């Protein structure tokens, strides 16, 4: 029953994640994304996925800091260190429990990429890590949406490459 409830919560979060693509203003995107991540935290709590709880909770804080324009390089480094320490201390899922940490660290380091194709490639890597983790913790709706996001990012890269070739 817990797996079903967690997947319903994750489905709502995933639908919100998809709807973010329709939002035009960065501040509103960050605000809605924070709600979406909080729902993933709730889903992870229900599933007992400690690493997911840690990383998604810290991601909420990261988004709040970003929303308030206080996400400096030093803060990003602090977030990575805090995430690493907490994951090492509380991880109860072996190697799989490190996948959210690796994904989050990659995202934080490269989140400001201006090159759209490189940004999409970074997203693909982070989403694949989350896909594996979400499947492992039985958050199947999250895993499905992770996979769909990977596919759409690949399509986006293909379209960017096609556009670049036409311009050359």
């Amino acid at each position: 029953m817990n797996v079903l409830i967690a997947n319903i919560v994750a489905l709502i979060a995933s639908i919100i994640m998809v709807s973010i693509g329709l939002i035009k203003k960065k501040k509103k995107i960050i605000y809605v994304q924070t709600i979406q991540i909080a729902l993933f935290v709730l889903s992870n709590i229900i599933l007992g996925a400690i690493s997911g709880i840690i990383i998604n909770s810290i991601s909420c804080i990261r988004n709040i800091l970003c929303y308030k324009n206080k996400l400096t390089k030093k803060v990003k480094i602090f977030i990575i260190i805090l995430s690493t320490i907490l994951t090492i201390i509380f991880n109860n899922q072996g190697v799989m429990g490190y996948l959210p940490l690796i994904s989050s660290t990659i995202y934080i380091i490269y989140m400001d990429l201006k090159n759209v194709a490189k940004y999409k490639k970074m997203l693909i890597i982070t989403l694949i890590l989350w896909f594996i983790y979400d499947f492992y913790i039985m958050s199947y709706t999250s895993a499905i949406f992770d996979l769909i996001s990977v596919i759409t990012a690949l399509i986006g890269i293909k379209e960017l490459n096609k556009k670049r070739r036409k311009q050359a």
Side-chain angles (χ1 to χ4, degrees):
M1 186 64 154
N2 282 349
V3 172
L4 177 63
I5 293 168
N7 275 276
I8 291 169
V9 172
L11 176 62
I12 295 166
S14 296
I15 291 168
I16 292 170
M17 180 174 65
V18 170
S19 71
I20 289 171
L22 302 173
I23 301 171
K24 305 283 189 241
K25 294 183 179 180
K26 183 178 179 181
K27 288 261 188 190
K28 191 167 183 180
I29 289 170
I30 294 168
Y31 178 78
V32 174
Q33 186 184 54
T34 304
I35 294 168
Q36 167 235 323
I37 294 170
L39 287 169
F40 280 131
V41 170
L42 178 58
S43 175
N44 290 154
I45 289 169
I46 295 167
L47 292 169
I50 301 298
S51 295
I53 295 166
I54 292 167
I55 298 305
N56 281 321
S57 296
I58 292 173
S59 293
C60 282
I61 295 166
R62 180 200 68 218
N63 275 21
I64 291 166
L65 292 170
C66 185
Y67 185 83
K68 294 182 176 198
N69 294 319
K70 295 184 186 227
L71 191 60
T72 63
K73 188 174 183 174
K74 287 180 182 178
V75 171
K76 288 179 185 180
I77 291 168
F78 175 76
I79 288 171
I80 291 170
I81 292 169
L82 179 63
S83 299
T84 302
I85 291 169
L86 291 175
T87 301
I88 289 169
I89 292 171
F90 296 107
N91 177 24
N92 64 347
Q93 299 159 316
V95 173
M96 294 302 246
Y98 291 104
L99 296 180
L101 172 64
I102 295 165
S103 177
S104 177
T105 301
I106 291 168
Y107 184 81
I108 290 169
I109 291 170
Y110 296 105
M111 67 191 288
D112 295 327
L113 280 174
K114 303 294 183 222
N115 181 307
V116 177
K118 286 182 180 178
Y119 183 79
K120 286 183 182 288
K121 289 175 186 174
M122 178 270 300
L123 280 179
I124 289 168
I125 293 166
T126 61
L127 286 165
I128 289 171
L129 294 172
W130 273 107
F131 168 78
I132 295 166
Y133 181 76
D134 285 335
F135 193 81
Y136 175 77
I137 65 169
M138 296 185 286
S139 183
Y140 301 119
T141 53
S142 297
I144 290 167
F145 276 87
D146 294 336
L147 191 57
I148 291 168
S149 297
V150 167
I151 292 166
T152 58
L154 286 169
I155 291 168
I157 290 170
K158 183 178 178 184
E159 294 298 316
L160 285 170
N161 288 338
K162 193 186 300 183
K163 186 177 177 182
R164 234 184 272 136
R165 282 192 294 264
K166 282 183 181 181
Q167 291 175 346

